[in-house]
Amino acid sequence: MALLTVVYYLYPAERIIWWTGIGLSGVTAIIVGARINRPAHALPWYFLAAANFSFTAGEVVQVIQTDYLGQTDFPSIADGVYLAEYLLCAAGVLGFIRWRTAHQDRGSIIDALTLTVGLALLSWIYLILPYARDPELTWVQKAISIAYPLGDVVVLALLLRLLVPRGGKSTSLKLLTAGTVGMLVSDVLYGLIQLHGTWHIGTPVDLGWAAFYTAWGAAALHPSMVELTRPLPVQPTHITRGRIALLALASLIAPGVLLLEVSQGDSSHAGVIAGFSAVLFLLVLARLAGVVLEHRRALDRERVLRAAGAALTAAVTVDEVARAVRRAVTTLMPATPHHVATLALGEDHRPVAEPLPALPGGPARPAARGPRLVPAEVFETEFGAELAGLLHGMPRAFVCPLALEKRPSGDSLVGMLIVGGTEQELTALRSSLEILAAQSALAVERVRLGREINARNSEAYFRTLVQSASDVILILNEDDSVRYASSSAERVLGPPGPVGARLTDLVPPEDSHAIVLALARMRRGDRSESREHWRLLNGGQHSIEVEVRCNDLRDDPTVGGLVLTLRDVTDQRQMERELTHRAFHDSLTGLANRVLFQDRVGHALTRSERRGTVTGVLFIDLDDFKVVNDTQGHGVGDELLVAVSLRVSTALRTSDTAARLGGDEFAVLVEDARTPADVGGIADSVLAAFAEPFRLSAGAVRVSASIGVATTEDSVDSTELLSHADLALYSAKASGKRQWCQYQPALQAGLAERHELNESLDSAISESAFTLFYQPIVDLAGGGLVAFEALVRWPHARRGMVPPEEFIALAEESGQIVPLGAWVLERAAAETTRWQRQSLAPRAVRGRAPLHLSVNVSARQFRDAGFVDTVREVVDTSGIQPDSLILELTESVLMRRDDRVRADMATLSDLGVRIAIDDFGTGYSSLSYLREFPISLLKIDKSFIDGLGVSQQQYALVEGITRIADTLGVQVIAEGIETTAQRDLLAAMGCPLGQGYLFAPPMTDSQAGALVSDDATLVRLPEH
């Protein structure tokens, strides 16, 4: 055919001869190839031979019509013969598809359709539509012209369907593909020439048809042609890079054509291109869905194999291995409810107790052919009726050998895995089943080796285990002598070993009788306890504690004695005792903790009731212990607590119990007292222990204590006794500390009232139920109004006006002083700003300073992290002049002298707010405060003012404070002025400001506003 093609181009005048020879040679080659290679189904090849003959006949008819008869009509008989070629070619390719890829996956079909649609678009745009729109052609001519490219598209689609599932590996299929591509290229070029030019004999277009004849003949002659009618194994189609590139190219045909059309200014084909694009898009989406589904299935299979691997690793018997395999196959094949999965094992791997099928021998051994799919009828012939009966009617069986290639000895074939199901499912799961078979082979071999080792080495294993165990194993004779002792006995009991000695010689003398009784119980089988605790002598010197377990093996001929297993638990018991001590004792002082104390109180009450004695409880709290911690550090504080615990313990009787409840709180349990007065005497002794200072590493520290006392005379149980002692302690602290207080029933009522007040305080703050009173501060020399001190009051709905000393302390303890103080500051600043505006003009005329506001700030409120921000916000929102706002602090705030206090006071001073020390002289008063802190005012406490007209010493003290403050540039305000004599003395010594009932009592905001409006010298009240 190649030679005839060359002659055809050299002598084109005899075209009919050469071309007919080429065509008939192709037909002959296909028939000869089918005869020689004998494919399973030859009919598709004969269809291809008929297609070649039809094409050759069409050429001959056309030449006869045009060259000899002069007929140029279109269509003609030649066109009919030509078109018959497409039908015959399609029938042949369909035959290949029928026998080769009848059950392939959906992905292959979608890939073939994608390529077909892309190439069909090109045929439609550039071949079919030009014929359809040619006005010079009749409808018959148009139909025949369109039939040619349509035939090409059909043949192309069928060929692509045949190629997609691994078709490129067949040489015969490659030749068929090359020939078909040559034919299609020539057809396309011929169609374009017909539309735009003239076709001449011997043009390069004929070369594609010649290649078509030659390639198809060679495909039939090649031995691989038999594969085209042999079914391919059903396997999931994997998307390779080449396939992705080909699909991407096919998908880009539509947008490429559209871009070309737009660039040429032609959009007439936009609708057609859009339709093809939509089809391509849907095909790509369907392909992606299939890929995602296949990936999900692969992940599921991988997860099942991981679980199966774990189960096979944990299996200890062959039956457990088989169950794990069945579970894995059941999970892998959910669509086949009656599938079969079993293991057939060799005799050395198949125990009698685990009835599994036997591995067939002879030519049916699975290792001879490897993993494969076997039809049910072939399986019965090859493996026998017994194994075939396990398939339960499944059409196919997957047989995979369980082989260990590197097995050191014996047959490498362990058994085989048999799985029954449909061909499609088994083929899709083939790789997973092979992995499962490999894992099963390892598991079965491991079980066999373990069984063999256990059977072979059980005695040696037991001996090694006993000799290397840390526990002591003893075998006793009937006379309690030790016949056998493990090697650990000498290490635990000391040298020499216990063999030959009686067990009673190894225990302390005082325990020997109990040991004899225990051994007798063991021999009788009376073992109420699974284990016992004994003491044994280590080398006859010191004792150790052991945990004992017993097995009576006197009837066992290999042992013939009582077997004792001893474990040394000395360190464990010591640790348990230490942990128990820690659980019931304070780690710092060594005293009893709260848990142990409460337990002992309960027991003491029981004894007291039985004996008719009095039991008392003392709650002890150190006064101002926090000051020691804050000023000298927690290390000194802990040292002080230890010293206090020693002092308290020495002040008690031996029958009393001291405890530390936590922090600086201690408690004492007094037992067997005759009267409550005896309990009070113990309290006096404890208080006396605090008379002397405590000598610590940091120096002498003096500290006092407050004590609450309660006895069984006024308490019925331990809870009530402890609660009463706590109430009495609270009463002692409220009465001035450094004393002890006996519980009284009235304290309970006071506590209830305090609790009720505390609950009312929460709601009062949230509802702003407080009110402010203002007491004027006046110029002592002229009597003019200088400032107001804001005083908070609480008008209670039931109790009337609650004194500040009651609710302020509660607010301090609960932390409610912070929001309460913020409310007071905000409300007073707003009122003062209004008064400042009201009196600004007249005061400016008289040259007086603006009205000032003095607000008390508690230590708890000042130490709050947001206090400075609160003051800044109040100044900004109220509009008050910062230098007219005075914050009154107690000396307890300054005592700490920490950096934060200094920083906050410096920030307030920079803001312009002034700071005053309230009640100066009543605490740890020190004039050094005036030098260390930005203090603007001192308020001398009323207790000093009361003694001015009585005590010369008091007068000198007040005068000294006034003069030193004046020297340091600090103003002084005298509090509590009630007589004109006090006012005159203070004015004479240079005290500039004062306040008190002599001038005015605290007044409401309306009264204070009226006083500001008058802006006159206060009317002095009559002296009382």
Side-chain angles (χ1 to χ4, degrees):
M1 286 187 285
L3 179 61
L4 289 175
T5 302
V6 174
V7 173
Y8 168 75
Y9 277 99
L10 292 177
Y11 304 100
E14 289 80 12
R15 171 187 176 225
I16 184 61
I17 300 174
W18 317 124
W19 197 257
T20 303
I22 294 173
L24 293 178
S25 298
V27 173
T28 304
I30 294 175
I31 296 174
V32 171
R35 293 287 185 180
I36 295 176
N37 295 313
R38 295 185 178 278
H41 304 279
L43 183 61
W45 290 104
Y46 292 141
F47 273 116
L48 295 185
N52 272 12
F53 182 79
S54 176
F55 189 74
T56 303
E59 288 287 328
V60 172
V61 171
Q62 184 181 19
V63 170
I64 293 175
Q65 285 180 335
T66 55
D67 294 351
Y68 298 101
L69 301 179
Q71 296 177 359
T72 58
D73 298 336
F74 176 73
S76 65
I77 299 175
D79 293 302
V81 178
Y82 274 133
L83 293 177
E85 174 219 0
Y86 291 110
L87 297 177
L88 295 171
C89 183
V93 177
L94 279 174
F96 292 141
I97 294 174
R98 165 69 179 82
W99 297 110
R100 179 179 172 83
T101 60
H103 302 289
Q104 289 300 323
D105 59 289
R106 189 183 65 172
S108 300
I109 299 175
I110 294 176
D111 292 345
L113 287 176
T114 302
L115 295 172
T116 303
V117 170
L119 295 177
L121 174 62
L122 295 176
S123 299
W124 184 272
I125 296 296
Y126 297 108
L127 295 177
I128 297 175
L129 285 182
Y131 286 122
R133 295 177 178 178
D134 191 346
E136 297 180 0
L137 299 177
T138 65
W139 68 271
V140 176
Q141 292 174 330
K142 290 180 180 181
I144 298 298
S145 299
I146 292 173
Y148 282 105
L150 283 179
D152 291 337
V153 171
V154 172
V155 173
L156 176 64
L158 295 175
L159 185 64
L160 289 176
R161 173 67 184 91
L162 186 63
L163 277 171
V164 168
R166 303 179 302 284
K169 296 181 180 180
S170 171
T171 303
S172 180
L173 184 57
K174 290 179 181 178
L175 292 171
L176 284 179
T177 303
T180 304
V181 170
M183 179 186 70
L184 297 180
V185 171
S186 294
D187 286 350
V188 171
L189 294 177
Y190 176 75
L192 294 175
I193 291 173
Q194 287 292 92
L195 289 173
H196 306 290
T198 305
W199 175 65
H200 300 282
I201 297 175
T203 59
V205 174
D206 298 333
L207 187 60
W209 289 320
F212 161 66
Y213 285 127
T214 304
W216 277 31
L221 291 172
H222 196 274
S224 63
M225 59 91 72
V226 297
E227 299 177 0
L228 296 185
T229 54
R230 181 183 300 165
L232 279 176
V234 182
Q235 295 183 9
T237 303
H238 301 288
I239 299 184
T240 61
R241 293 183 179 179
R243 181 174 291 194
I244 291 176
L246 191 61
L247 293 177
L249 181 63
S251 301
L252 292 175
I253 290 177
V257 172
L258 181 61
L259 288 175
L260 181 62
E261 295 281 338
V262 172
S263 64
Q264 296 177 353
D266 183 10
S267 60
S268 60
H269 302 144
V272 175
I273 296 173
F276 276 92
S277 298
V279 173
L280 287 173
F281 178 74
L282 293 177
L283 290 174
V284 170
L285 284 183
R287 191 65 174 103
L288 288 177
V291 170
V292 171
L293 181 60
E294 182 59 32
H295 178 67
R296 185 178 301 167
R297 289 173 179 170
L299 291 179
D300 292 340
R301 289 193 293 268
E302 181 182 354
R303 183 165 55 251
V304 172
L305 290 177
R306 284 201 304 268
L312 291 172
T313 303
V316 295
T317 64
V318 176
D319 186 58
E320 291 181 3
V321 173
R323 286 201 299 269
V325 170
R326 284 193 290 270
R327 284 196 300 269
V329 174
T330 299
T331 308
L332 289 172
M333 302 175 65
T336 307
H338 301 294
H339 64 271
V340 177
T342 186
L343 294 177
L345 302 178
E347 290 300 329
D348 57 340
H349 292 87
R350 189 172 64 96
V352 178
E354 298 171 359
L356 291 172
L359 184 68
R365 286 172 59 84
R369 300 182 59 185
R372 66 190 190 278
L373 278 179
V374 181
E377 57 275 9
V378 176
F379 183 88
E380 182 175 1
T381 303
E382 186 172 345
F383 295 101
E386 181 181 356
L387 287 179
L390 299 177
L391 295 180
H392 298 300
M394 290 290 105
R396 290 285 189 276
F398 175 75
V399 179
C400 184
L402 307 182
L404 297 174
E405 297 180 0
K406 297 183 179 180
R407 191 178 181 192
S409 63
D411 191 357
S412 62
L413 185 63
V414 174
M416 68 177 180
L417 171 65
I418 304 172
V419 180
T422 63
E423 179 181 4
Q424 185 173 4
E425 279 189 326
L426 294 176
T427 305
L429 295 174
R430 177 167 183 156
S431 60
S432 300
L433 294 177
E434 289 178 1
I435 295 173
L436 184 61
Q439 293 177 337
S440 303
L442 292 174
V444 171
E445 179 69 6
R446 177 179 54 79
V447 171
R448 186 194 68 81
L449 289 175
R451 187 168 56 238
E452 181 179 342
I453 291 173
N454 289 338
R456 183 184 303 170
N457 302 324
S458 59
E459 182 178 353
Y461 176 78
F462 175 75
R463 184 183 301 110
T464 303
L465 180 64
V466 170
Q467 295 299 330
S468 61
S470 60
D471 293 350
V472 178
I473 298 177
L474 304 178
I475 300 179
L476 303 184
N477 296 318
E478 287 297 327
D479 60 352
D480 296 339
S481 61
V482 179
R483 176 170 21 113
Y484 169 83
S486 61
S487 59
S488 57
E490 186 172 344
R491 182 176 65 253
V492 174
L493 301 177
V499 176
R502 292 178 62 86
L503 186 61
T504 53
D505 297 334
L506 304 177
V507 302
E510 60 272 18
D511 295 345
S512 59
H513 181 66
I515 298 298
V516 171
L517 294 178
L519 292 175
R521 288 197 307 271
M522 294 175 183
R523 289 189 174 94
R524 290 196 307 267
D526 181 13
R527 298 169 57 194
S528 57
E529 295 291 337
S530 60
R531 57 187 175 181
E532 296 189 5
H533 298 279
W534 293 352
R535 287 193 304 159
L536 297 179
L537 294 176
N538 186 327
Q541 298 176 358
H542 62 277
S543 64
I544 61 172
E545 297 183 59
V546 295
E547 181 181 274
V548 183
R549 292 179 179 269
C550 173
N551 284 318
D552 188 0
L553 299 180
R554 290 177 294 171
D555 296 333
D556 190 333
T558 60
V559 179
L562 199 66
V563 179
L564 300 182
T565 303
L566 312 179
R567 173 172 297 177
D568 186 358
V569 293
T570 305
D571 294 337
Q572 178 182 339
R573 293 292 179 267
Q574 180 63 29
M575 182 176 293
E576 289 177 357
R577 285 190 287 269
E578 183 178 348
L579 291 176
T580 302
H581 182 271
R582 291 184 180 180
F584 294 102
H585 291 80
D586 177 54
S587 59
L588 178 63
T589 63
L591 299 179
N593 61 10
R594 184 183 296 272
V595 176
L596 180 57
F597 183 77
Q598 290 178 340
D599 180 70
R600 291 190 177 179
V601 168
H603 289 294
L605 290 180
T606 302
R607 288 191 295 269
S608 173
E609 183 178 358
R610 186 172 60 249
R611 298 173 184 173
T613 57
V614 175
T615 298
V617 169
L618 279 61
F619 270 14
I620 306 169
D621 188 83
L622 303 186
D623 298 331
D624 301 320
F625 175 74
K626 190 174 185 303
V627 175
V628 178
N629 260 347
D630 293 343
T631 57
Q632 302 191 43
H634 290 277
V636 176
D638 290 344
E639 190 178 352
L640 175 60
L641 292 175
V642 174
V644 168
S645 68
L646 294 175
R647 288 258 187 109
V648 171
S649 298
T650 56
L652 303 179
R653 304 170 303 169
T654 56
S655 60
D656 299 334
T657 301
R660 181 185 175 214
L661 304 183
D664 61 338
E665 297 180 355
F666 294 84
V668 173
L669 172 62
V670 180
E671 295 191 62
D672 297 330
R674 291 191 298 268
T675 63
D678 294 337
V679 180
I682 300 297
D684 289 329
S685 299
V686 173
L687 279 181
F690 290 88
E692 294 295 327
F694 293 88
R695 305 294 176 180
L696 306 179
S697 59
V701 175
R702 186 179 294 276
V703 66
S704 62
S706 300
I707 303 176
V709 179
T711 67
T712 52
E713 294 294 307
D714 44 44
S715 307
V716 296
D717 55 25
S718 60
T719 302
E720 192 174 54
L721 182 62
L722 298 176
S723 175
H724 288 173
D726 195 22
L727 285 175
L729 174 61
Y730 177 79
S731 176
K733 281 191 167 293
S735 301
K737 304 178 182 180
R738 295 192 177 108
Q739 57 182 309
W740 67 271
C741 181
Q742 177 79 35
Y743 169 76
Q744 301 294 333
L747 295 178
Q748 192 75 31
L751 178 65
E753 184 177 354
R754 177 183 174 84
H755 178 70
E756 178 187 359
L757 194 63
N758 193 18
E759 289 187 345
S760 301
L761 179 64
D762 294 340
S763 60
I765 293 175
S766 61
E767 297 171 3
S768 300
F770 294 90
T771 185
L772 290 183
F773 280 69
Y774 300 90
Q775 186 171 27
I777 299 175
V778 301
D779 181 3
L780 293 181
L785 178 63
V786 175
F788 281 113
E789 179 181 3
L791 304 172
V792 64
R793 296 292 184 266
W794 183 9
H796 196 273
R798 186 178 60 83
R799 302 181 57 186
M801 193 66 71
V802 181
E805 56 270 16
E806 292 188 15
F807 69 84
I808 291 296
L810 285 177
E812 286 271 2
E813 292 176 6
S814 62
Q816 295 287 359
I817 193 66
V818 176
L820 177 59
W823 178 84
V824 171
L825 186 61
E826 179 183 359
R827 180 71 175 271
E831 290 287 350
T832 304
T833 302
R834 181 170 58 84
W835 294 335
Q836 285 179 343
R837 293 170 182 165
Q838 181 178 344
S839 61
L840 180 61
R843 285 184 181 274
V845 171
R846 296 203 253 306
R848 296 181 181 178
L851 187 67
H852 290 73
L853 171 65
S854 184
V855 180
N856 290 284
V857 177
S858 73
R860 172 69 177 82
Q861 181 184 2
F862 186 81
R863 284 194 291 267
D864 184 71
F867 176 72
V868 174
D869 294 334
T870 300
V871 174
R872 185 182 289 110
E873 183 180 358
V874 167
V875 170
D876 293 340
T877 56
S878 65
I880 191 172
Q881 299 179 27
D883 59 352
S884 64
L885 177 59
I886 303 169
L887 302 180
E888 296 187 14
L889 305 177
T890 59
E891 294 174 75
S892 61
V893 176
L894 310 179
M895 285 174 58
R896 300 184 64 174
R897 287 184 166 87
D898 59 11
D899 294 337
R900 180 182 167 185
V901 170
R902 298 178 191 276
D904 288 351
M905 294 184 73
T907 302
L908 293 172
S909 180
D910 294 340
L911 186 63
V913 176
R914 296 196 292 168
I915 299 174
I917 298 179
D918 194 15
D919 299 332
F920 186 80
T922 59
Y924 297 92
S925 301
S926 174
L927 292 174
S928 63
Y929 297 152
L930 307 181
R931 178 173 52 84
E932 296 182 31
F933 299 99
I935 306 300
S936 300
L937 296 98
L938 291 180
K939 298 192 75 173
I940 302 176
D941 189 68
K942 182 179 183 299
S943 60
F944 293 95
I945 305 303
D946 291 341
L948 281 182
V950 180
S951 171
Q952 185 64 30
Q953 183 181 6
Q954 200 84 328
Y955 178 87
L957 179 61
V958 175
E959 184 180 25
I961 294 174
T962 302
R963 294 187 184 281
I964 293 174
D966 182 61
T967 303
L968 295 176
V970 177
Q971 280 189 310
V972 176
I973 302 176
E975 294 183 294
I977 302 176
E978 296 182 353
T979 65
T980 56
Q982 293 171 347
R983 180 201 62 189
D984 295 338
L985 289 173
L986 288 167
M989 67 178 61
C991 180
L993 304 174
Q995 68 181 102
Y997 277 81
L998 176 65
F999 309 107
M1003 56 185 64
T1004 63
D1005 55 351
S1006 59
Q1007 292 171 338
L1011 182 61
V1012 172
S1013 299
D1014 293 344
D1015 195 19
T1017 302
L1018 289 174
V1019 179
R1020 296 171 180 78
L1021 298 179
E1023 297 185 16
H1024 299 284

